[in-house]
Amino acid sequence: FPSHDIGGGDYEKLVENELRGHGITDNIEIAAIMAQCAHESGDWKYLRELGNDAYFAKYDGRASLGNTQPGDGLKFKGRGFIQITGRDIYTRAGRYLNIDLVNKPELAEDPSIAAKLVVYFFFEYKKNSTKTIDWNDIVAVTRLVNGGQNGLPDR
């Protein structure tokens, strides 16, 4: 997909509109989510995790991601603005959005689906954490996204 061409708009606006359309109106909350998406997508340039096939083997066999079958690491690599990763979240998100992300994981690279995945990730998949998170605490929000502080200065 072109980096900033989604038919008359831009990725940032697409994600913001999706958030607002789901009742997310707090500007701090939106800014925190947008900062995570900007980092995860390489400043809104990539809807697919970068790396060669061998690189994605690091995800194979990772039960925490639900990767139980050979090749799951490559098949369920990071995709979308928030870079969902692993069979588990692809399965759950696909069920939630009523699309077949398990058999067609590349659908997560479609900008309109990727925007919906942002809402799904924060407000369904991680809903127990986002109910109480302080959106001003960028360290906490970053941990929610990647489990650590990877790329913190950029976020």
Side-chain angles (χ1 to χ4, degrees), residues 47-53 55-56 59 67 71-80 83-87 90 105 108-109:
L47 290 167
R48 179 184 324 135
E49 186 175 3
L50 302 177
N52 60 29
D53 291 2
Y55 172 82
F56 296 111
Y59 297 136
N67 289 345
D72 276 357
L74 177 62
K75 184 174 182 179
F76 300 111
K77 62 187 163 197
R79 289 190 176 89
Q83 298 288 298
I84 65 165
T85 307
R87 179 180 285 276
Y90 275 80
E109 298 172 39

Side-chain angles (χ1 to χ4, degrees), residues 25-44:
T25 58
D26 181 83
N27 288 332
I28 298 294
E29 190 172 349
I30 290 171
I33 292 168
M34 299 292 279
Q36 297 298 319
C37 291
H39 176 79
E40 293 290 312
S41 66
D43 198 24
W44 306 99

Side-chain angles (χ1 to χ4, degrees), residues 87-104:
R87 179 180 285 276
D88 179 63
I89 193 169
Y90 275 80
T91 301
R92 292 173 188 236
R95 200 175 299 133
Y96 182 80
L97 297 174
N98 199 29
I99 56 175
D100 188 0
L101 289 176
V102 172
N103 291 305
K104 298 178 185 173

